[in-house]
Amino acid sequence: MNFTSRKQWILGGMGLVLGACASTPVPVQPYALAGGRAEYRDYVGAKANICDTAEPRWLLDELSGVNGLLARFLSSTEQVNNPASSERAQQTALLKDAADSLPKVLVVHESNLKALQSCGFARSGAFPELTRRGQELVELSRGRLKEGEQLLVAQEERSKWKEEGPQREQKARETWCAKQPEVGSTDLFYARRFANGRTEWLFCDGHMVSAASPDAEPTLSGPELSAKERRKVKPARYLEAARGYPAEEIDKQPSGTVAQPASGSATPTP
């Protein structure tokens, strides 16, 4: 073999090796969430050139599939901050599941969309809209995950408030009530307001004024009394005492919801 032939043979072999490296496939990673499924590839993590490794047509399908899954996730959790929704518990559970796995998918998808911009076909066909849409969905999905974290903390605080309520009530009773309260004295020692708006004012003699909501008419209820004791009870005095109780001293249950951001919180249309 002469020098020229040897050189051609070496260069050809190197070309085959480099070609094999360039065409090394990036493994597919399946992902399922919210009843939807998608497949994605971590081109950046695999140090692969997305422009050369991916055929534009199926790359478009792949990235669109992830966009669709994110849109489904957002629509499947849009009622998570609505206490009146019958789907709230289910959607909260979905957010818990997504908290562990979805952030990685968002990082990969965002990196792929960024790498796509260096491709010659990135500004043709459906790619510009796909990129814009994908970036929007990534941002909204991260916001929804953050909202989920805050919501879980708020719900834990709400549950803790309820669990510790009897201790707070007992402490207030011991602080403000006589050991043997006189029936009809209208000594009010504690008031609480639940997240649903119901408010209760508790009196040392065992009576309670309650209102189902801030706008509802309060009513008086109490323990079993003898005829003599009932004559001491003046309902109007209890209602007056409840109305005069300082609002800032009412023990309020946390709402279990989080404040919605001014913008960017709405679920985008598919």
Side-chain angles (χ1 to χ4, degrees):
M1 180 182 295
N2 59 34
F3 177 78
T4 302
S5 299
R6 181 180 177 85
K7 182 178 180 182
Q8 291 175 342
W9 179 82
I10 293 174
L11 291 176
M14 291 178 62
L16 289 174
V17 172
L18 293 174
C21 294
S23 61
T24 300
V26 180
V28 175
Q29 301 185 50
Y31 184 67
L33 182 68
R37 295 179 180 275
E39 293 183 345
Y40 68 95
R41 291 173 171 82
D42 186 0
Y43 297 97
V44 177
K47 295 181 172 54
N49 188 326
I50 193 172
C51 307
D52 298 333
T53 306
E55 200 279 328
R57 184 170 53 187
W58 56 255
L59 177 62
L60 181 67
D61 292 341
E62 181 179 301
L63 297 177
S64 296
V66 178
N67 278 3
L69 183 140
L70 296 181
R72 185 183 182 94
F73 163 71
L74 289 167
S75 65
S76 298
T77 54
E78 62 184 353
Q79 294 298 319
V80 74
N81 203 30
N82 179 8
S85 173
S86 60
E87 300 177 358
R88 191 185 192 202
Q90 178 183 356
Q91 295 192 4
T92 300
L94 174 57
L95 273 178
K96 288 182 180 179
D97 292 340
D100 294 329
S101 60
L102 187 56
K104 175 188 174 183
V105 177
L106 295 177
V107 169
V108 172
H109 193 50
E110 184 177 47
S111 297
N112 287 341
L113 293 172
K114 184 177 181 180
L116 174 65
Q117 300 313 299
S118 63
C119 302
F121 52 81
R123 293 168 180 78
S124 62
F127 280 104
E129 175 59 21
L130 178 145
T131 302
R132 183 204 64 78
R133 175 84 168 135
Q135 292 169 340
E136 176 189 31
L137 289 167
V138 166
E139 180 181 356
L140 289 174
S141 295
R142 284 191 173 130
R144 185 62 51 81
L145 289 174
K146 183 65 175 179
E147 182 182 343
E149 292 176 7
Q150 297 171 342
L151 181 63
L152 292 175
V153 170
Q155 290 182 341
E156 288 175 3
E157 292 176 348
R158 179 179 178 179
S159 297
K160 183 179 180 181
W161 179 91
K162 187 174 182 180
E163 292 171 2
E164 297 178 351
Q167 291 92 330
R168 293 194 300 275
E169 177 183 336
Q170 182 60 30
K171 183 178 180 179
R173 184 185 297 276
E174 293 172 353
T175 301
W176 301 107
C177 295
K179 291 185 178 180
Q180 294 183 339
E182 180 181 353
V183 175
S185 64
T186 68
D187 292 330
L188 202 168
F189 71 93
Y190 178 70
R192 59 185 164 221
R193 178 169 296 155
F194 296 91
N196 62 5
R198 175 179 172 82
T199 306
E200 297 174 348
W201 295 266
L202 307 184
F203 295 82
C204 294
D205 66 352
H207 282 83
M208 179 177 73
V209 171
S210 61
S213 69
D215 299 326
E217 190 70 24
T219 58
L220 177 67
S221 59
E224 291 289 335
L225 300 174
S226 65
K228 180 180 179 180
E229 290 174 323
R230 285 197 297 271
R231 286 194 290 271
K232 297 180 180 179
V233 176
K234 308 298 181 184
R237 294 179 58 198
Y238 290 88
L239 297 176
E240 182 180 356
R243 283 192 291 267
Y245 192 85
E248 63 273 13
E249 294 184 15
I250 296 177
D251 184 13
K252 301 177 182 67
Q253 183 182 28
S255 67
T257 61
V258 296
Q260 292 287 347
S263 61
S265 62
T267 301
T269 55

